[in-house]
Every structure is written in C-alpha cells, then in structure tokens.
Amino acid sequence: MNSVCGSQRPLLFSQKEVMPAMKIVHPICCGMDIHKKLIVATIARTGPDGVTTYSQRQFSTMHPDLVRLRDWLVSENCPVACMESTGKYWIPIWSVLEEKVTLTLAHPKYTKAIRGKKTDSKDSKWIADLFKHDLVPNSFIPPAPIRAMREIFRYRYKLVCVRTGEKNRIQNSMTVSSIRIDNVVSDPFGKSARSLMDAILGSGGDFDPKACGLYLEKGLKKKEKEIRESLEGMDLRDEQSVKMQLAYGHLDYLDSMIGRTVDALDLLAKPHEAIIASLMTIPGMSRISAIGIISEIGTDMDAFADAEHLASWAGLTPACNESANKKKSVRISKAGTIIKPLLVQVANAAVRCKDEPYYAVKYERLKRRRGHKKAIIAIARMILVACYHMVRNGETFDPTDIDRKTKCPKYVKASVRSPEEMVEFLTGMGYKVEAPVQSAIC
C-alpha cells in the first residue's frame, strides 16, 4: 500500500502483474500513407510469438505503379489493407485494389500521428500498427453501381446550389434596379415573370409598365395592377442589365445540365425501381429524393449495425460529450453533408403534406417544446429510420402507430370545433349523417 498525504490508497495493479497484450486481429496487414504523387505502403507481419516485422515500399500514383502495388500485396499474401481518406486521391487506389484486397478506408482523425514525429514512413507504419489491432473504424463505401449514382447525384446537388446562387444575384439586381415584381408574384422565375423580364432587358431600359399585361399568363392577369406598380420608377442601368442577361443565360444552361443529370440518374436507378417506389410512399418524398437517399446509403442495410447507427452516420443524432460526470455540448455532428440537407428538405415537405398529416402532427408536438430547428431534425431522423426498415424489409410506408382512417398517429384525437366539421369527420369515417326532422308547432 502507498501512503499519500497520510492516507492509504490501493495500487492500481501490482508490480508483478503482467498487463495483457493487445489482441492481434490482422496478423498480416498493410497500412498506406497516400499523397497526390506518392504512396508509402507498409506490410506488418505478426508471428505466433507476437513479434511484428515490417516491409515497406514506395509507389507512385500512376496506374502502372498501382498495379505493381496490388501485385506486391498479393505476392506477400496480404489480404487486408488500410488507408486514409485523403481528398480524392484514395479513389483510383481503391478501384485497382478492391478486387484482390479487402480494403478499409479510415477517417484521418482516427489515424492521426503525434505532431512533430511525422514522416511518410512513420505514418504508414503507424496506420499498419493501428489496423493490425483493429483500432481503425471503417468508413462506409457502397458498391460500384451505387457509387456511380452517388457521383451523379452529388454533381446535381452542386449544380442546384450554383443555380440558387444565380437566382439570388438576379434578385439582387432587381432590387438595385427598383424592379419589385418579387413582391407580387410567388415565383419571380416562373413563366410570366421570365417573359416580363426578357421584355424589360430587351427594351434597353425603355420598357413601358402599362404593357406588362401582354406578358402575363392567365393566373397573373388579376395581379396586373400590382405588377404595373412594382415596375414604376425602375432604374435599369447598363451594368445591371448586362449582369442579369448573363445570369439568365447561365441559369438556362444550368437548367439543361440539371435535366441531363436527372436523365443519367434515371438510367442508373433502373435496377432499384422497386425500392424507389416504396420510398416514395413516405409523405414528402419525391422520386429524385428517393434516388438521392439510395445513392448515399445504398441498398444493403447490413452495412449498418442498426437504424440508430445509420442515423448517427448521417449526423442526425445528438453527440455524446461527457466528462467529469458533466454533459457538455450535445449538438448534432457535421457528418452527412449531403444526405442531411436532403432529409431536412424531405422533412419540410412532409410536415406540410395535408393528405398525409402523420409527420405534421409529430412536428407540431415537438415544435411546441423544442422549436422548429430541433423538431425538423427529429422528423428527418424519423424519415431516415423509416427508410432503413423499408429498404431492409422490402416494405412500404406503414408505421405501427398510424391510424389508417385519419392518417395521424394513434395517440392524436380528432378535434372538431363546429357541427359542419363533425359532419365532415363522421362522413369521412363512413357514417351517414342526416338532419333531424323538425315537428310542426301547433
């Protein structure tokens, strides 16, 4: 026993005890440190006595050298390899090695070496040492057909973001030029608004607001007066006119590009039409959203331990950050940079769906207690969990807690406030309602 400040405390372990060695999961494995032009690969071979020997080679990132790397691993009977997800540099290496070697792609935060003691050789050896003890979590990499869908869908996502930026620039130019049609029409880039703006830009700033009715479709004819007022006093200068013409041209080009990506996604998604059709039964889920979810999570749910693991991977669960018996920040993580915005978009559509109020009711209950942001993230997580079970079991959307008559959760009671609503509610449930017969007054 030790005596510290007059008190006796037990030793954590006896001096004679031998600490157990860490388990060797991969007796023969490879760790690779990847760069733009260079790959340092280290094969760690652990014998029955627990002693590890290392053999290391360097390769370039050219395809012939990648083939030599693959042949070297096969000749050394190395069945598994681990590498960092360094930018996009790992993708061609993965493509060459995946047929012959079982690969693990690691997030750099799990393989980071000590600062000040880093070299390419040491980094490669350190990755191999971590991997032989199975201390490196594997990143989810879907099969090649799903990766092809993911590549096109993410490109479409970027194009949509660029298109949104161009729309914002056009609206800023409208504001600077005192063109306030966005205060009147719901979509300043709709058919009528676009025809009107083409006429304004083509007139060189001499457009007569009284002629705006010639460019309005039937739905906006009734707002002709308001649109005319929004154009009075406009000050369209040359620089703003040139800017908007270029932005509109770029917008048309982006629309055509986005359409081509949708066509490409339709071709790639043909083998998964049954899953897409089942996902589209979720309220708020469109076809392109269903394709996007499949391209991100794949169709084999065995890659995830359970639905909670998938939600955590997508960055839709609170973080666990506790120290000294105190819980610190539990904000959601930054993971799921593509699938998280997609699910939030689906959730926003689901809570506005009047025909299917299942998620709308859950959203309102959460919003009253936690606010909009936390409530919409919770709905997005519910939708992802539903997608997990639907894809895994080949089911359509049919929650166990839904009332099939009201399309609401079972714990929600129908609220009726007037006789007319009562009649409509009972009629919808299949009852026949008749007005009482009034007796004559003598």
Side-chain angles (χ1 to χ4, degrees):
M1 308 291 287
N2 282 351
S3 177
V4 181
C5 298
S7 63
Q8 292 184 344
R9 299 180 182 177
L11 286 171
L12 294 179
F13 58 90
S14 171
Q15 294 290 338
K16 295 182 180 180
E17 291 179 347
V18 178
M19 298 299 291
M22 295 182 66
K23 181 180 179 181
I24 302 295
V25 179
H26 303 295
I28 304 176
C29 63
C30 178
M32 290 182 284
D33 186 37
I34 299 172
H35 301 276
K36 181 179 180 180
K37 300 180 180 179
L38 178 69
I39 303 170
V40 181
T42 301
I43 293 180
R45 192 184 303 271
T46 306
D49 55 354
V51 178
T52 303
T53 58
Y54 302 91
S55 56
Q56 190 174 94
R57 289 188 182 182
Q58 291 187 2
F59 301 88
S60 72
T61 54
M62 299 297 182
H63 187 267
D65 250 19
L66 297 182
V67 174
R68 282 191 283 272
L69 169 62
R70 181 190 63 193
D71 296 341
W72 178 58
L73 294 176
V74 172
S75 65
E76 293 289 335
N77 296 320
C78 181
V80 291
C82 177
M83 56 183 172
E84 286 183 347
S85 57
T86 308
K88 297 289 185 180
Y89 302 142
W90 63 271
I91 296 179
I93 303 171
W94 185 284
S95 300
V96 173
L97 299 183
E98 66 176 335
E99 294 183 358
K100 299 292 185 179
V101 182
T102 302
L103 297 172
T104 293
L105 186 69
H107 194 288
K109 69 180 179 181
Y110 297 121
T111 60
K112 189 174 182 180
I114 300 173
R115 187 175 182 181
K117 297 183 178 181
K118 279 174 55 61
T119 63
D120 295 340
S121 176
K122 289 182 179 179
D123 286 349
S124 176
K125 181 174 177 293
W126 175 245
I127 294 171
D129 284 335
L130 290 176
F131 187 53
K132 73 180 181 182
H133 297 297
D134 199 24
L135 297 178
V136 183
N138 188 13
S139 299
F140 169 62
I141 305 297
I146 300 296
R147 294 204 302 268
M149 289 178 57
R150 175 186 285 187
E151 194 74 19
I152 300 298
F153 182 80
R154 290 186 175 184
Y155 182 53
R156 178 190 176 276
Y157 173 79
K158 294 296 184 182
L159 290 176
V160 171
C161 292
V162 175
R163 182 176 65 179
T164 302
E166 287 293 357
K167 288 183 177 181
N168 291 336
R169 293 184 189 94
I170 292 172
Q171 286 195 285
N172 289 339
S173 294
M174 288 182 183
T175 303
V176 171
S177 304
S178 297
I179 301 174
R180 306 316 307 267
I181 60 174
D182 56 331
N183 292 342
V184 181
V185 299
S186 58
D187 182 13
F189 298 94
K191 187 175 181 180
S192 296
R194 180 61 188 272
S195 299
L196 184 58
M197 286 304 302
D198 287 343
I200 292 173
L201 295 174
S203 66
D206 296 330
F207 183 79
D208 186 4
K210 296 180 180 179
C212 66
L214 300 174
Y215 306 96
L216 302 180
E217 298 292 329
K218 295 180 180 179
L220 285 178
K221 286 289 186 179
K222 56 184 178 181
K223 294 185 178 181
E224 181 179 350
K225 182 180 178 181
E226 291 86 347
I227 294 175
R228 189 187 308 120
E229 291 176 353
S230 69
L231 298 176
E232 291 180 356
M234 65 177 175
D235 182 20
L236 182 61
R237 302 192 177 185
D238 293 341
E239 65 275 12
Q240 297 298 334
S241 177
V242 172
K243 179 181 176 181
M244 281 195 282
Q245 289 180 25
L246 293 174
Y248 271 121
H250 192 200
L251 199 63
D252 294 338
Y253 174 72
L254 290 171
D255 286 336
S256 66
M257 292 288 289
I258 292 171
R260 291 173 63 183
T261 59
V262 173
D263 295 339
L265 285 171
D266 286 336
L267 291 176
L268 294 172
K270 280 186 177 181
H272 313 292
E273 287 296 338
I275 298 176
I276 293 171
S278 65
L279 291 180
M280 288 177 64
T281 59
I282 298 176
M285 182 75 70
S286 64
R287 176 178 172 80
I288 193 65
S289 299
I291 293 175
I293 290 174
I294 292 175
S295 69
E296 291 297 320
I297 69 174
T299 56
D300 183 13
M301 294 298 100
D302 290 337
F304 304 96
D306 48 32
E308 288 73 19
H309 184 264
L310 173 59
S312 176
W313 173 82
L316 291 172
T317 55
C320 182
N321 188 9
E322 183 176 344
S323 179
N325 204 24
K326 293 181 180 179
K327 287 188 177 181
K328 300 183 180 180
S329 173
V330 292
R331 296 172 65 91
I332 59 175
S333 67
K334 296 181 180 179
T337 54
I338 301 295
I339 192 172
K340 190 192 304 180
L342 174 61
L343 289 168
V344 169
Q345 180 179 342
V346 175
N348 277 300
V351 300
R352 291 174 173 83
C353 186
K354 296 181 180 179
D355 297 333
E356 301 281 346
Y358 176 77
Y359 286 119
V361 173
K362 289 179 175 288
Y363 166 77
E364 291 297 336
R365 287 168 63 91
L366 289 168
K367 182 184 176 182
R368 285 195 294 266
R369 294 185 290 111
R370 308 304 300 272
H372 165 73
K373 291 183 178 180
K374 291 183 179 179
I376 207 67
I377 289 293
I379 298 299
R381 180 187 179 277
M382 294 178 194
I383 292 175
L384 181 59
V385 171
C387 292
Y388 171 86
H389 291 290
M390 292 166 63
V391 173
R392 186 181 187 87
N393 303 324
E395 301 171 343
T396 57
F397 182 72
D398 188 20
T400 56
D401 62 338
I402 192 172
D403 188 337
R404 291 179 176 81
K405 292 182 179 180
T406 62
K407 301 297 180 66
C408 294
K410 290 181 179 179
Y411 55 77
V412 177
K413 296 182 179 179
S415 58
V416 288
R417 300 179 181 178
S418 66
E420 291 77 10
E421 290 177 338
M422 292 181 184
V423 170
E424 183 180 356
F425 175 72
L426 292 173
T427 304
M429 295 186 66
Y431 293 97
K432 184 178 180 181
V433 182
E434 296 180 355
V437 180
Q438 296 182 356
S439 59
I441 301 177
C442 298

